[in-house]
Every structure is written in C-alpha cells, then in structure tokens.
Amino acid sequence: MASLCSVWSIGVSNLPPSLTPKPVKRCRWVLSAVLINANDNSNKGIQSQTNISGITMRTSPTSGNYEQQSKSKRVWVWTESKQVMTTAVERGWNTFIFSSSNRALASDWSSIALIYPLFLEDGEILDCENRKVATFSEIASPQQLQELHPVDELAENVVISLLDWQVIPAENIVASFQGSQKTVFAISKSPSEAQIFLEALEQGLGGIVFKVDDVGAVLELQDYFDRRNEVRNLLSLTKATVTQVQIAGMGDRVCVDLCSLMRPGEGLLVGSFARGLFLVHSECLESNYIASRPFRVNAGPVHAYVAVPGGKTCYLSELQAGKEVLLVDQNGLQRTAVVGRVKIETRPLILVEAMKDSDCETVYSILLQNAETVGLVCPILGNESTKTAIPVTSLNVGDEIMLIVQGGARHTGIEIQEFILEK
C-alpha cells in the first residue's frame, strides 16, 4: 500500500554533466547550497557544491508501508520583482527564469546576488551559454495533455504550463511521466497550486516553476516546506512513571477525527501543561467495547494543548476541519495529518500525573475521558514493545508511559523564554 503523506527536507540536486558550469562573463554561478543531513537532528549540515537549487522529498511511513523513499524536488522562480528575487535567494532558491528579451534584468540581478539564470526562447529553456536545460510546453486542452509524453531529447527537464489550471490535469501529468528519467516542472502561480503539483498522486512532480511577484507567496511556500521538513526528524520522547490516577468528574472532551489512518503506537501529543505532552493513542486497536476507528484520537478536554507543525501547540478547542496536527509513534517518528472533524462532548474525565525518574519535582499532567478506548502509549523495551498502549481505565501508579518534555512558556502557541508557573 502506498504511503499516504509526504515528508519534506531541504536539499540540493546536482547539475547534469552536460551543464557543468564554465566561466562566463554574464553569469555568476551559485557555488553553495544548504544541505540538511537526514541523520543530523541539529539541522546544521552544510555542503558546498555547484547546483541548481532544489527541495528533497521523502515519503513518510503510514499505514501499510513504512519504508522511506527519496526523490529530489526542485524550485525555480519566475519573477520580475527584485524583492521576490532577494527573498527567494535568502531561502535557497537560486534558479530564475527570464524571457529571452529580459537578459538585461538577469545580468543586473547576477551582479547583486548569486543566481543561476535561465531563459525562455522558442519553446526551450536555455542557460546563459544557450545550452538547452529544459523543454517548455503550454497545455490548453485535454487532447494536448494526452499527447504529452516523455520524449528522448537532450534536455533532462520538462516545464509545463497548464493554461486552464485544474487538479486532474496535474495528476495526469504525474501519471504520464511516471518512471521517466526526466524532471518535470509545472508552472505554479500560488502556494496552493504548488502544493497540488508537489503532492499529486502522492509522489508529485519533480519540481515547480514558481511564477509570482508577491513576496508573501514566497514566504508562504517556504513555510509549507518548513512544516514538511520538520517531520523528518525523530522527536526525543521521554519515559515517565505514573504517580497519580484520579477520577476528576465531568468535562468537555475533544475527539479528533483525522483524514489519515493511524497504526498501532501512533497518536497525538496532548497535555494540560505545555512543558510535557503525553502521547495519547489512537482508537486503531481492536476492542471488545467498540469498533476500531483508526482515524480517531480521543484526545482530552478543551483546555489541553496539542502539538501542531512548526514546533507549536494549540488548544484542542481550537482544532477544526482543515487544520494540521502532528502524529507521533513510539519511536518518535512524526508526520502531519489533516483534521477532518472535531467532536466536543461532555464526558467523565480522569486525571493522570507522571514524573520522570531523573526529575522528582516536575509534575506532568493530563486529563482524558474515562473510557476503555482511551489509552497512553507505552515505552519500547529493547527492540520491541511488550504492549502498545495502556487504557486509562487500567492505568496504575508505577506504570510507564511516553511524553515529550519542552519549554512551558507559550505565547499564541509559540515557545518563548520567560518565567511561568503552572499547576
């Protein structure tokens, strides 16, 4: 079964041998790019190369298939705005497309920034030495789309412009070039279009040509990549010991139904205090009491924090259809998921408190619905876990569960450095 979501990390992709840069008068070649090492959680790996800037996508494990795959994603920018150009370069996107009549602008920008200029001329995209880098095709009808197939040409890249932009043609392009050695770019005029092309039919196209003159669009697209990029890192989950289990009366609890299926060991990070979020298991496990619902997490009361992309938290009461949350498993592997529905209902609650073995002063707390289908994820002992989750109805003092420890002070869900006392 194919993976259902995508995980992103910033990377680079090498120029083909035919495009190895040579000294020229009018072009300044990009000599460095940022490379984040997939095995370095500090995100500080730097590599110096000559490259056309790109984005690396890795397929994240979901239900059925957990093997990660790699595929290069690239972003080229098409703009006449100097502000957009400088903003893009600051974010590592150095390849720019110009019309053939706009070589003066390319030369001007090359004098102030390290860019790789390309030029559109007669259905081809050329570099500054007039070497073919890509073919260019405009698609205005279903017939033209059907006729679009990989061809054996010198150009290793194909740039496609859908004049009548729709989602289905985007998927058809992905299907047509599946298995091709060519990198297919689609012209995108907004971050939402770019996202569709990069995710169509799960694998997406090899890249996009981002044709915008709005700095905000560049920032929004980079934010999209940043959110996908963070999920490639393993979260450092901590083992904690339950110190108290207490019936707490009635409260408004939140059921979060996602647009993704969860597997055993996965759930949401939730807690009464931002300083420590418990890994609350999904309802994917079989039960004698109710049918399995692998899309649901019975997450806790309305006041509780829940982890969302970007290193942020929000209140469970703030979740709504379309918002993204972080799914995490026993190993700390994380991925994003879209909320499909939120149900808030009054139910009996149970209070759970826990402490780390190395810290006998800090208390971590969570309230959950007092029900057999609600559980906390257990730590992995050795290579395997003896059990995946403990139902709160069976939870006892001394049981071990998983949580993540982080800074407690928050402003609008963003961690800040200031004194805070929560109890």
Side-chain angles (χ1 to χ4, degrees), residues 2-18:
S3 171
L4 300 177
C5 76
S6 298
V7 181
W8 305 77
S9 61
I10 296 178
V12 294
S13 54
N14 294 329
L15 286 171
S18 62

Side-chain angles (χ1 to χ4, degrees), residues 46-105:
I46 302 294
Q47 178 169 321
S48 180
Q49 294 183 354
T50 302
N51 294 292
I52 296 181
S53 58
I55 299 294
T56 298
M57 181 192 79
R58 298 192 310 163
T59 303
S60 170
T62 56
S63 57
N65 178 16
Y66 310 115
E67 181 179 357
Q68 295 187 346
Q69 304 173 11
S70 307
K71 186 176 181 180
S72 175
K73 296 284 181 182
R74 294 194 280 174
V75 175
W76 296 351
V77 181
W78 190 347
T79 185
E80 294 185 1
S81 167
K82 182 182 290 186
Q83 191 175 6
V84 166
M85 180 273 292
T86 55
T87 302
V89 169
E90 288 170 356
R91 279 145 186 83
W93 297 333
N94 310 89
T95 305
F96 292 84
I97 292 182
F98 302 87
S99 64
S100 59
S101 61
N102 224 358
R103 290 180 177 263
L105 181 61

Side-chain angles (χ1 to χ4, degrees), residues 255-325:
C255 259
V256 183
D257 291 347
L258 302 175
C259 298
S260 299
L261 298 176
M262 288 168 279
R263 60 185 178 93
E266 268 190 319
L268 296 177
L269 289 170
V270 184
S272 293
F273 309 134
R275 64 175 176 258
L277 302 180
F278 292 70
L279 186 50
V280 181
H281 201 267
S282 72
E283 294 187 8
C284 67
L285 301 179
E286 293 295 332
S287 168
N288 294 328
Y289 307 98
I290 195 170
S292 171
R293 293 184 173 92
F295 54 84
R296 173 171 294 173
V297 178
N298 190 330
V302 289
H303 78 280
Y305 289 110
V306 60
V308 297
K312 301 178 182 179
T313 59
C314 74
Y315 298 117
L316 282 174
S317 58
E318 294 176 332
L319 292 182
Q320 57 185 340
K323 190 174 180 66
E324 288 186 326
V325 292

Side-chain angles (χ1 to χ4, degrees), residues 237-259:
L237 295 176
T238 300
K239 181 174 66 175
T241 302
V242 174
T243 57
Q244 180 176 220
V245 181
Q246 177 182 325
I247 300 299
M250 304 293 288
D252 295 333
R253 72 94 174 97
V254 181
C255 259
V256 183
D257 291 347
L258 302 175
C259 298

Side-chain angles (χ1 to χ4, degrees), residues 213-224:
D213 288 317
D214 176 22
V215 171
V218 177
L219 298 175
E220 185 178 345
L221 183 64
Q222 183 60 57
D223 180 65
Y224 165 76

Side-chain angles (χ1 to χ4, degrees), residues 130-407:
N130 289 325
R131 293 176 296 186
K132 183 189 294 186
V133 175
T135 59
F136 179 82
S137 301
E138 290 185 335
I139 304 299
S141 67
Q143 292 73 24
Q144 287 180 307
L145 188 60
Q146 292 175 359
E147 296 170 359
L148 186 65
H149 295 289
V151 290
D152 185 16
E153 295 183 5
L154 294 177
E156 298 181 4
N157 306 294
V158 177
V159 176
I160 296 171
S161 175
L162 287 177
L163 300 182
D164 182 18
W165 193 94
Q166 296 179 47
V167 175
I168 296 301
E171 294 180 345
N172 291 348
I173 293 173
V174 174
S176 295
F177 283 85
Q178 186 174 7
S180 170
Q181 298 302 310
K182 296 181 181 298
T183 300
V184 183
F185 293 76
I187 293 180
S188 307
K189 297 181 180 179
S190 70
S192 59
E193 285 186 7
Q195 180 177 346
I196 292 295
F197 282 119
L198 294 170
E199 296 180 352
L201 292 184
E202 180 187 346
Q203 295 299 323
L205 294 179
I208 59 165
V209 174
F210 203 41
K211 189 175 183 180
V212 294
D213 288 317
D214 176 22
V215 171
V218 177
L219 298 175
E220 185 178 345
L221 183 64
Q222 183 60 57
D223 180 65
Y224 165 76
F225 282 124
D226 287 343
R227 287 184 283 112
R228 294 307 185 271
N229 179 46
E230 73 169 340
V231 301
R232 71 177 179 81
N233 292 324
L234 291 178
L235 286 177
S236 180
L237 295 176
T238 300
K239 181 174 66 175
T241 302
V242 174
T243 57
Q244 180 176 220
V245 181
Q246 177 182 325
I247 300 299
M250 304 293 288
D252 295 333
R253 72 94 174 97
V254 181
C255 259
V256 183
D257 291 347
L258 302 175
C259 298
S260 299
L261 298 176
M262 288 168 279
R263 60 185 178 93
E266 268 190 319
L268 296 177
L269 289 170
V270 184
S272 293
F273 309 134
R275 64 175 176 258
L277 302 180
F278 292 70
L279 186 50
V280 181
H281 201 267
S282 72
E283 294 187 8
C284 67
L285 301 179
E286 293 295 332
S287 168
N288 294 328
Y289 307 98
I290 195 170
S292 171
R293 293 184 173 92
F295 54 84
R296 173 171 294 173
V297 178
N298 190 330
V302 289
H303 78 280
Y305 289 110
V306 60
V308 297
K312 301 178 182 179
T313 59
C314 74
Y315 298 117
L316 282 174
S317 58
E318 294 176 332
L319 292 182
Q320 57 185 340
K323 190 174 180 66
E324 288 186 326
V325 292
L326 278 183
L327 288 179
V328 182
D329 71 5
Q330 284 175 295
N331 296 299
L333 184 63
Q334 55 181 320
R335 61 186 174 105
T336 59
V338 176
V339 175
R341 173 178 54 241
V342 170
K343 296 199 308 175
I344 301 177
E345 299 161 315
T346 302
R347 294 291 187 269
L349 302 177
I350 189 169
L351 171 67
V352 179
E353 292 183 348
M355 290 184 178
K356 296 192 301 177
D357 294 341
S358 59
D359 181 2
C360 296
E361 296 183 358
T362 305
V363 176
Y364 304 98
S365 173
I366 188 173
L367 285 130
L368 294 164
Q369 180 181 341
N370 189 11
E372 292 83 359
T373 55
V374 182
L376 294 174
V377 175
C378 305
I380 294 177
L381 303 176
N383 295 327
E384 295 183 0
S385 174
T386 55
K387 50 187 173 182
T388 304
I390 305 176
V392 293
T393 53
S394 304
L395 200 62
N396 296 307
V397 172
D399 285 338
E400 292 182 330
I401 48 83
M402 301 294 288
L403 54 80
I404 184 170
V405 176
Q406 55 189 11

